[in-house]
C-alpha cells in the first residue's frame, strides 16, 4: 500500500508540474486554419501570425526568398508560431506544405521551415525536387549548426536568418558551411569562457571557471535531452510489459529532481550522477527491453512460424532505430544482426508442405498474378507487402502478408481493405478579411473508390496580419508572383529540438 501511494503521489506531481508549465494551446486541428498561407499575405514568403519574428526580419526574409523564388531554384516558405496545439510538428509541417502546395508543380522545388515555440521544435519539409540537393542529413546539420544554438538563447530572428542563409548557400554552391562561422564561434566561445555578446572573459564571478562551465553545460544539456529520450523510449517500447513502461514514465521525474538539486546545492551534485540518470538509465532500459524481446522470441515464439516471428520482431523494434546512434557502444553491432535475422526469417526458402521440395519466392511482377485484386491494390499504396512462395515441382503456392508499420493508409470502412488514403484538402471557399472560408478533409479508398469528407473552416484573415506584412507584400509583387502552384511534399527534411 505505501508503494502504491508513493507512485500515485509522483504521478500527480508530474501532471501538476506539466499543467502549470505548459502554455495554453489551441485545438490540434486549429493550426491548419489559424496559420495564414504566405500567398494570402500579398505574395509573401513568411507567415508570422504570433509576431515571433521582428518586422525587419520578416521584410528581409521576404526580399531574399523572393529573389530565390524568381531565380527558379527553389521556393522557401517560413512559418513561426507559438503553438500548434498537441499536433506533432512533423505532421504539421507536412500538412501545411501540401495544403499550401509550396513550389512549382513540375519541379516540386518547395521547402517549408516551421518553428514551433512551445514544443521547442524546428522542422524542414522538402519537395521531391529538392531531396537530392537538401537530403535529410543536410537539413539536420543546418539546424544543429546554425539554428539550435541560437534558438536555445531565444534569438529566434537570428536563428531563422542563419538557417535560411545556410539553405540558400547549399542550393547555390552545394555547401552550407561558411569558412569562418560566427555562430559556431559564438557557441565555442561560450564553453571556453568568453562572452559572445561582449567578447570579455567570464572568469569573474562564482560560475566562471572552465570546469564550472562544463558542469552547468552537462547539467543543462543532459537535462534537456533526457526528457525527449525518456518519452521516446516510453512511446516506442510498446511490446514491453506495462509495469516496465510505468516505471520508465515515473523515472522522467528524475532529471527534473537532479536539476533542481544541482541548482539548490550550487553545483554540489556530481556531474557523473547527472549523466548516469539522464543517459545511463535510458541506456540500461533500452538494453533490458531488447533483451526481453529476444528472450520472448526464444521462448514464447520459438514454436511459432517464421512469419509470426518476423511480425513480432518488426513491431517490437519499430521506431527504435535511433538507439543505435544514442547508445552505439552497446547497440552498434546489435542492429545489423537484427536486420540480418529479419532477412533470414523472410527470405530463407520454405519446404513445400505437399512434396517437401524447396520453394522459391516470386518476384514483384510475377507475384501480382497470384494475388487477389485488393491485395494488388494494398501493395500499390504501400500499406501491405505480399510474398508469394511457389513450389517448382508441384506448383503449390501460399501467400504471406507484411504490414507497413509506417503507413498512414487506413482500413476502408466500406470494403475493409487497407487502401483508405488521405487526400489533399479541398478548399471550397477561401477565407477573406471579411468572411471565413471552408473546405473538406478527404479520405478515398484506392480499391473501391469510397470517399469520406469532413468539413473544416478556414479562419478569417485578420487585418493585422495583412498590415504587418504589407511592406513585404508590395516588394514581392512588383515583378513576379510566387511559384507556389501545385508543389507537393516528398516526405524529406529533418527536425530538431532545442
Amino acid at each position: 500500500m505505501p508503494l502504491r501511494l508513493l507512485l500515485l503521489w509522483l504521478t500527480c506531481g508530474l501532471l501538476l508540474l506539466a499543467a502549470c508549465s505548459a502554455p495554453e494551446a489551441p485545438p490540434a486541428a486549429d493550426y491548419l486554419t489559424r496559420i495564414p498561407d504566405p500567398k494570402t499575405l500579398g505574395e509573401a514568403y513568411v507567415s508570422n501570425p504570433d509576431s515571433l519574428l521582428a518586422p525587419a526580419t520578416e521584410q528581409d526574409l521576404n526580399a531574399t526568398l523572393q529573389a530565390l523564388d524568381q531565380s527558379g531554384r527553389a521556393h522557401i516558405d517560413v512559418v513561426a508560431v507559438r503553438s500548434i496545439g498537441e499536433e506533432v510538428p512533423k505532421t504539421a509541417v507536412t500538412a501545411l506544405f501540401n495544403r499550401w502546395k509550396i513550389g512549382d508543380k513540375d519541379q516540386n522545388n518547395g521547402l517549408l521551415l516551421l518553428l514551433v515555440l512551445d514544443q521547442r521544435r524546428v522542422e524542414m519539409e522538402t519537395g521531391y525536387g529538392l531531396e537530392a540537393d537538401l537530403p535529410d542529413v543536410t537539413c539536420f546539420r543546418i539546424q544543429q549548426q546554425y539554428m539550435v544554438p541560437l534558438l536555445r538563447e531565444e534569438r529566434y530572428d537570428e536563428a531563422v536568418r542563419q538557417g535560411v542563409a545556410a539553405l540558400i548557400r547549399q542550393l547555390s554552391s552545394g555547401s552550407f558551411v561558411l569558412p569562418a562561422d560566427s555562430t559556431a564561434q559564438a557557441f565555442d566561445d561560450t564553453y571556453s569562457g568568453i562572452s559572445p555578446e561582449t567578447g570579455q572573459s567570464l572568469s569573474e564571478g562564482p560560475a566562471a571557471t572552465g570546469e564550472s562551465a562544463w558542469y552547468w553545460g552537462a547539467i543543462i544539456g543532459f537535462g534537456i535531452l533526457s526528457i525527449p529520450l525518456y518519452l521516446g523510449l516510453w512511446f516506442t517500447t510498446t511490446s514491453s510489459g506495462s509495469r516496465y513502461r510505468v516505471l520508465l514514465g515515473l523515472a522522467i521525474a528524475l532529471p527534473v529532481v537532479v536539476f533542481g538539486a544541482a541548482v539548490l546545492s550550487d553545483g554540489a551534485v556530481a556531474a557523473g550522477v547527472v549523466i548516469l540518470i539522464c543517459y545511463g538509465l535510458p541506456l540500461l532500459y533500452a538494453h533490458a527491453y531488447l533483451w526481453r524481446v529476444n528472450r520472448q522470441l526464444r521462448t514464447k515464439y520459438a514454436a511459432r512460424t517464421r512469419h509470426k516471428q518476423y511480425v513480432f520482431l518488426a513491431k517490437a523494434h519499430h521506431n527504435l532505430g535511433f538507439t543505435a546512434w544514442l547508445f552505439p557502444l552497446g547497440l552498434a553491432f546489435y542492429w545489423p544482426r537484427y536486420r540480418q535475422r529479419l532477412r533470414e526469417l523472410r527470405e530463407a526458402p520454405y519446404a513445400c508442405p505437399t512434396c517437401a521440395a524447396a520453394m522459391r519466392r516470386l518476384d514483384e511482377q510475377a507475384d501480382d498474378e497470384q494475388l487477389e485484386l485488393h491485395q494488388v491494390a494494398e501493395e500499390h499504396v504501400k500499406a501491405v507487402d505480399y510474398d508469394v512462395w511457389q513450389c517448382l515441382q508441384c506448383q503449390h503456392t501460399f501467400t504471406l502478408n507484411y504490414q507497413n508499420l509506417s503507413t498512414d493508409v487506413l482500413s476502408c470502412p466500406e470494403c475493409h481493405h487497407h487502401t483508405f488514403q488521405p487526400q489533399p484538402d479541398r478548399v471550397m471557399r477561401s477565407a477573406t478579411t471579411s468572411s471565413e472560408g471552408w473546405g473538406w478533409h478527404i479520405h478515398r479508398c484506392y480499391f473501391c473508390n469510397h470517399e469520406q469528407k469532413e468539413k473544416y473552416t478556414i479562419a478569417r484573415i485578420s487585418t493585422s496580419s495583412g498590415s504587418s506584412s504589407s511592406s513585404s507584400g508590395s516588394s514581392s509583387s512588383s515583378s513576379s508572383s510566387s511559384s507556389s502552384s501545385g508543389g507537393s511534399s516528398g516526405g524529406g527534411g529533418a527536425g530538431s529540438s532545442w
Side-chain angles (χ1 to χ4, degrees):
M1 187 64 181
L3 178 59
R4 293 183 178 179
L5 288 175
L6 177 60
L7 294 178
L8 180 61
W9 179 81
L10 285 174
T11 304
C12 292
L14 286 174
L15 292 175
L16 180 60
L17 177 63
C20 294
S21 59
E24 184 178 353
D30 181 54
Y31 72 94
L32 283 172
T33 54
R34 185 177 60 85
I35 302 174
D37 183 347
K39 294 190 295 296
T40 66
L41 307 177
E43 296 291 3
Y45 299 82
V46 180
S47 186
N48 183 33
D50 300 325
S51 300
L52 291 183
L53 304 178
T57 300
E58 191 174 346
Q59 183 175 359
D60 292 344
L61 287 173
N62 276 315
T64 301
L65 295 177
Q66 180 198 8
L68 176 69
D69 185 14
Q70 292 177 1
S71 72
R73 186 68 180 89
H75 179 110
I76 298 178
D77 280 352
V78 175
V79 176
V81 293
R82 294 192 179 276
S83 177
I84 54 173
E86 297 179 358
E87 186 61 271
V88 177
K90 174 60 178 175
T91 302
V93 74
T94 304
L96 289 171
F97 192 112
N98 290 324
R99 181 185 181 85
W100 295 345
K101 301 185 183 303
I102 299 173
D104 181 77
K105 181 179 182 180
D106 297 323
Q107 300 183 55
N108 270 316
N109 60 347
L111 183 146
L112 179 59
L113 190 157
L114 172 65
L115 188 70
V116 183
L117 184 60
D118 66 343
Q119 297 193 43
R120 304 178 69 85
R121 187 77 178 172
V122 57
E123 292 281 352
M124 292 179 183
E125 184 85 1
T126 57
Y128 290 102
L130 291 185
E131 289 183 346
D133 299 304
L134 288 167
D136 299 356
V137 64
T138 298
C139 294
F140 180 75
R141 290 176 62 193
I142 288 175
Q143 293 167 359
Q144 292 295 313
Q145 186 168 345
Y146 293 96
M147 301 188 70
V148 169
L150 294 168
L151 291 170
R152 287 172 179 165
E153 299 175 3
E154 300 183 2
R155 296 163 61 186
Y156 308 123
D157 292 80
E158 187 64 21
V160 174
R161 286 176 183 266
Q162 292 278 0
V164 170
L167 289 170
I168 294 177
R169 285 197 301 272
Q170 179 68 25
L171 291 170
S172 302
S173 64
S175 174
F176 62 84
V177 180
L178 282 172
D181 179 61
S182 58
T183 304
Q185 185 64 45
F187 183 82
D188 294 338
D189 288 346
T190 301
Y191 287 92
S192 63
I194 301 174
S195 169
E197 287 81 9
T198 65
Q200 298 176 351
S201 172
L202 297 176
S203 59
E204 301 176 0
T209 65
E211 181 180 353
S212 180
W214 180 89
Y215 173 83
W216 288 110
I219 288 281
I220 297 172
F222 277 98
I224 292 175
L225 293 176
S226 65
I227 300 299
L229 175 57
Y230 273 95
L231 291 175
L233 288 172
W234 194 88
F235 281 109
T236 53
T237 54
T238 55
S239 297
S240 63
S242 59
R243 60 178 178 176
Y244 297 105
R245 297 182 74 207
V246 168
L247 290 175
L248 183 67
L250 294 175
I252 296 176
L254 291 177
V256 179
V257 173
V258 170
F259 181 78
V263 173
L264 294 176
S265 63
D266 197 20
V269 178
V273 175
V274 177
I275 296 174
L276 174 63
I277 291 178
C278 296
Y279 181 79
L281 287 183
L283 181 146
L284 293 175
Y285 176 84
H287 283 73
Y289 167 79
L290 294 174
W291 174 85
R292 186 173 182 272
V293 167
N294 284 275
R295 183 173 177 272
Q296 286 182 306
L297 184 69
R298 293 191 302 269
T299 55
K300 181 179 178 181
Y301 287 84
R304 301 191 182 184
T305 64
R306 281 168 37 193
H307 178 258
K308 290 185 177 179
Q309 291 179 4
Y310 180 100
V311 171
F312 166 71
L313 277 181
K315 288 183 177 179
H317 290 77
H318 183 54
N319 287 332
L320 277 174
F322 68 92
T323 58
W325 302 97
L326 287 177
F327 313 124
L329 293 179
L331 299 180
F333 298 102
Y334 174 84
W335 283 97
R337 176 67 187 116
Y338 157 72
R339 287 187 284 269
Q340 176 64 26
R341 182 181 297 176
L342 283 187
R343 285 193 294 270
E344 292 171 355
L345 289 173
R346 182 167 180 176
E347 299 176 5
Y350 283 90
C352 178
T354 303
C355 65
M359 305 181 74
R360 68 182 179 94
R361 187 175 64 169
L362 302 183
D363 58 37
E364 287 298 324
Q365 184 174 0
D367 70 9
D368 285 351
E369 300 176 0
Q370 304 291 330
L371 298 178
E372 297 182 20
L373 291 178
H374 76 270
Q375 293 174 327
V376 175
E378 289 175 333
E379 277 202 332
H380 181 82
V381 298
K382 295 181 172 55
V384 185
D385 192 17
Y386 289 94
D387 286 355
V388 178
W389 291 87
Q390 185 177 60
C391 178
L392 298 177
Q393 293 189 10
C394 67
Q395 301 302 309
H396 175 77
T397 62
F398 63 82
T399 303
L400 300 175
N401 66 306
Y402 297 89
Q403 298 283 339
N404 180 1
L405 300 177
S406 301
T407 185
D408 58 354
V409 180
L410 305 176
S411 175
C412 176
E414 185 70 21
C415 65
H416 305 294
H417 302 311
H418 285 84
T419 49
F420 203 49
Q421 294 178 292
Q423 303 294 318
D425 290 340
R426 185 182 301 167
V427 178
M428 304 304 295
R429 186 177 67 201
S430 299
T432 65
T433 55
S434 59
S435 64
E436 294 181 338
W438 67 277
W440 298 110
H441 297 311
I442 302 173
H443 274 75
R444 182 180 300 117
C445 179
Y446 179 79
F447 180 69
C448 70
N449 213 34
H450 173 70
E451 184 176 272
Q452 281 188 352
K453 296 180 180 179
E454 180 183 354
K455 188 175 181 179
Y456 69 94
T457 58
I458 305 172
R460 185 174 60 182
I461 300 174
S462 63
T463 55
S464 58
S465 298
S467 60
S468 64
S469 56
S470 59
S471 58
S472 59
S474 61
S475 63
S476 61
S477 60
S478 57
S479 57
S480 175
S481 63
S482 164
S483 69
S484 280
S485 57
S488 59
S489 167
S496 298
S497 299
W498 75 85

